[in-house]
Amino acid sequence: MRLTTALTALALAPTALLADAHSTPVPVEYGARPAYLVDKLPDGDLKDKLASCMGQTASKSDFSIGHRGAPLMFPEHTVQSNVAAARQGAGILECDVTFTADHELVCRHAQNDLHTTTNILVSDLAEKCTTGFTAAAGEEGASAECRTSDITLAEFRTLTPKMDSADATATTAEDYQGGVASFRTQLYSDGADLMTHAESIELFKSLGAKFTPELKSPSVEMPHDGFSQEDYAQKMIDEYKAAGIPASDVWAQSFNLDDVLYWIKAEPEFGKQAVYLVEWSEGFDEQDPSTWTQDFAQLKEQGVQYLAPSLNMLLTNKDGALAASDYAKKASEAGLNLIAWTLERSGPLSTGGGWYFQSVGDIITDDSDYLVALDVLAQDAGVKGVFSDWPATVTYYANCMGL
């Protein structure tokens, strides 16, 4: 089997990986980054506490969630990216779920991202893309759109994954493959393996991790060739049931509240941990309830237990310091379990942290603010878990703080 071959080649642990890896967890190592971030912290209680844990034994934590694996350095949603995340102690791993032309479920961040996350534009499948490559001309940047629904599962398996990127100045499809962000690397891209959703379940189980699949919004009109939104939502859950995964190990996510409510009604055991994802939108003020589009009491009445807002919704500037937002506090007071996304996706923070930190960009100074933000999320906002593009940082913090 393709996935089994990939696992064997990776040599996940010094000893052979047992079939029931929940009793044989992958060894966890922090690597250099957490200590690097601690060193950058200004003197104070947080630095003292985190520095005191430098010699601790690393262990897996469910507070640490791998966002597409560990895509700061590995191609997202690949076997290798998720193995790296598990080695960094992520207790929960993510497969963003979308579907192919023959309605098979695969791991991709979006149904229409194949042109930036794989080699499809320089493969024999380029002609099947929704919109082929268009070269940059004048003020118009290069463009393309290739969807998983443009190809079958068999064709999907022939693609080679790469770091998510595109060179908007490209005049050829080959040059369009570039544009990798300067804070990422291509050192670990060679030989990476794509995954179906079912294969991700097999892999994550073998790594001793739990599961947080996200049902992605289709780029095609639904129903698609008779495949309805409910069929899509149900098929994702069915693949966990077929693999014998207990519902208590699965946090199914969606930005579509109707998906979450469907799981609550149709699959109540899985619905107990269904996660409603929300993000910053224009006009939102994390301190002004009149700008909030979520009614926390209503969500609870509908059976929603988990709410996952973007970082910018949970953080605010309080007298020149990072603090938990009123949005975060009110959601928690309403009894919603909060999950935060996504730490370490912004690259170096010396310029304010971009979209994820836009509510506090004026007080973000350097990369040590990743740890300050993490501390605020955990201690003040009371989040139950944090997605990260480099899970070792969250794992180190969780281990040190006893989370």
Side-chain angles (χ1 to χ4, degrees), residues 24-342:
T24 310
V26 172
V28 177
E29 298 178 347
Y30 296 131
R33 183 162 176 79
Y36 165 78
L37 295 177
V38 172
D39 288 343
K40 291 179 75 68
L41 279 169
D43 291 340
D45 291 344
L46 181 59
K47 183 170 185 173
D48 291 345
K49 173 60 177 176
L50 293 178
S52 73
C53 297
M54 288 290 187
Q56 70 183 354
T57 299
S59 61
K60 180 179 64 176
S61 171
D62 288 353
F63 188 79
S64 179
I65 307 171
H67 179 243
R68 316 184 202 180
L72 186 64
M73 294 191 183
F74 291 81
E76 64 186 46
H77 288 310
T78 59
V79 172
Q80 290 74 10
S81 185
N82 282 286
V83 169
R87 285 174 169 166
Q88 293 174 36
I92 302 173
L93 298 175
E94 178 187 44
C95 168
D96 287 330
V97 178
T98 188
F99 59 85
T100 59
D102 45 352
H103 302 149
E104 296 298 329
L105 304 185
V106 296
C107 298
R108 289 290 89 199
H109 178 65
Q111 190 168 53
N112 62 340
D113 74 0
L114 293 182
H115 52 289
T116 64
T117 63
T118 75
N119 70 331
I120 190 169
L121 287 175
V122 292
S123 77
D124 293 339
L125 295 173
E127 62 184 20
K128 293 198 169 189
C129 289
T130 295
T131 305
F133 173 74
T134 300
E139 296 183 357
E140 295 294 323
S143 64
E145 183 182 4
C146 304
R147 302 173 178 175
T148 56
S149 53
D150 292 335
I151 58 177
T152 65
L153 175 59
E155 291 168 330
F156 174 82
R157 290 189 183 281
T158 68
L159 298 175
T160 299
K162 69 180 190 70
M163 294 298 282
D164 185 11
S165 67
D167 184 348
T169 68
T171 57
T172 67
E174 287 74 16
D175 288 343
Y176 191 72
Q177 306 302 293
V180 177
S182 60
F183 57 85
R184 296 197 176 104
T185 178
Q186 298 187 76
L187 287 174
Y188 309 111
S189 295
D190 289 350
D193 297 282
L194 297 173
M195 295 185 296
T196 66
H197 176 238
E199 288 170 345
S200 79
I201 296 172
E202 178 186 347
L203 175 65
F204 299 174
K205 181 179 179 181
S206 77
L207 295 170
K210 297 175 184 177
F211 314 82
T212 186
E214 180 188 337
L215 197 74
K216 303 303 295 189
S217 298
S219 298
V220 295
E221 185 175 348
M222 299 293 278
H224 178 260
D225 294 340
F227 189 59
S228 71
Q229 185 68 26
E230 289 189 351
D231 292 336
Y232 180 29
Q234 185 63 51
K235 184 166 185 172
M236 189 181 86
I237 298 301
D238 285 346
E239 294 196 344
Y240 288 95
K241 294 165 73 173
I245 304 298
S248 59
D249 283 355
V250 181
W251 287 262
Q253 313 170 74
S254 180
F255 279 97
N256 182 354
L257 180 58
D258 287 342
D259 292 336
V260 175
L261 298 180
Y262 171 80
W263 291 322
I264 291 170
K265 181 179 179 181
E267 292 288 350
E269 289 304 306
F270 286 88
K272 289 177 183 178
Q273 294 188 160
V275 181
Y276 180 32
L277 292 156
V278 295
E279 63 183 336
W280 179 290
S281 59
E282 187 174 353
F284 175 85
D285 183 337
E286 73 282 359
Q287 298 297 94
D288 182 359
S290 69
T291 68
W292 306 347
T293 57
Q294 287 78 47
D295 183 328
F296 303 140
Q298 183 181 51
L299 289 175
K300 285 290 293 182
E301 289 175 4
Q302 292 173 306
V304 178
Q305 302 297 324
Y306 285 84
L307 182 69
S310 49
L311 291 184
N312 40 31
M313 301 176 76
L314 300 176
L315 299 172
T316 196
N317 177 347
K318 183 178 181 180
D319 300 325
L322 286 172
S325 67
D326 283 350
Y327 181 93
K329 293 176 182 178
K330 294 298 184 183
S332 183
E333 288 170 5
L336 291 166
N337 297 298
L338 296 177
I339 298 173
W341 56 275
T342 299

